[in-house]
Amino acid sequence: MGKLSAAAASLRNIAFPEWTVPVVIFAVCSFSFGVLLSRLGFFQDDWHHVFYAYWQGAPGLQRFLLADRGPFAWLIYAFFFGVLGYAPAAWHWSLMLIRFMTALMFWLSVRQIWPERRGLTAWLALLFVVYPIFTLQPLSVAYTLHWMMYLVFMLSLYLMLRAIRHPTTYLLLTVLAVLFEAVHLLFIEYFS
């Protein structure tokens, strides 16, 4: 038990300069998810989205997703298919970047809760990036909506927490937080 507590103590003493935290989060995200991205294809539920987008365009996505997601979910997919096309690698890289941005917003949010605990918040963000509760990262098309709305949800939380800490901009930040949460709920309600 002595070796374990010594290892934990040494981890507690590792600190990142604050400006390096986003770089470290990106590096861990890239190492964890980016190594094989260019070799991955479309899998499982990705194919439904690809089929409707390719053969029926935005109207097909709209009909398909109206029964399965929020009323505006098709807008996210129509945008991403317009930008990324049908290349699997582009979707995988995009999803990894969205996951990185979500982790970054998570880090900024916990920094609002514990501004004096820089090391802890950095470690929490790194855990957030690699925590294996979500194992469907290879389904890049199917889960782009989920990660985009997770990012919007985290942005809403960040703005809410920032509003509490900054009373002079409380009203503006609160209105923005509520608007982002409304967008999240219109697209997908998973993070409510």
Side-chain angles (χ1 to χ4, degrees), residues 24-184:
V24 172
I25 293 171
F26 183 77
V28 168
C29 199
S30 296
F31 182 72
S32 299
F33 302 103
V35 175
L36 299 175
L37 287 186
S38 297
R39 296 182 185 164
L40 296 177
F42 293 133
F43 303 101
Q44 297 175 341
D45 290 346
D46 288 346
W47 287 109
H48 305 308
H49 300 83
V50 172
F51 172 82
Y52 285 104
Y54 187 81
W55 289 105
Q56 298 175 3
L61 284 169
Q62 185 178 17
R63 282 190 300 277
F64 163 60
L65 291 167
L66 188 58
D68 192 41
R69 301 281 187 263
F72 301 106
W74 68 275
L75 292 169
I76 296 291
Y77 288 110
F79 170 78
F80 276 96
F81 275 110
V83 172
L84 302 174
Y86 300 92
W91 283 88
H92 287 287
W93 283 106
S94 172
L95 190 59
M96 190 200 75
L97 289 174
I98 296 166
R99 188 175 187 140
F100 159 70
M101 291 186 296
T102 305
L104 198 58
M105 289 310 306
F106 174 79
W107 172 65
L108 291 171
S109 297
V110 293
R111 289 282 296 125
Q112 293 298 308
I113 297 170
W114 297 302
E116 70 287 345
R117 305 290 304 267
R118 292 179 180 176
L120 173 67
T121 58
W123 284 110
L124 286 172
L126 291 174
L127 178 62
F128 181 89
V129 166
V130 298
Y131 192 75
I133 196 164
F134 180 75
T135 59
L136 297 174
Q137 188 76 20
L139 278 67
S140 59
V141 178
Y143 286 99
T144 290
L145 172 68
H146 297 73
W147 279 103
M148 277 301 300
M149 291 305 105
Y150 204 0
L151 175 61
V152 170
F153 175 71
M154 282 294 164
L155 181 58
S156 174
L157 287 180
Y158 169 73
L159 291 170
M160 175 187 65
L161 292 165
R162 189 143 174 95
I164 292 168
R165 287 213 171 265
H166 296 60
T168 57
T169 56
Y170 176 82
L171 184 60
L172 172 66
L173 294 174
T174 301
V175 168
L176 288 172
V178 169
L179 287 174
F180 278 110
E181 184 54 25
V183 166
H184 156 247

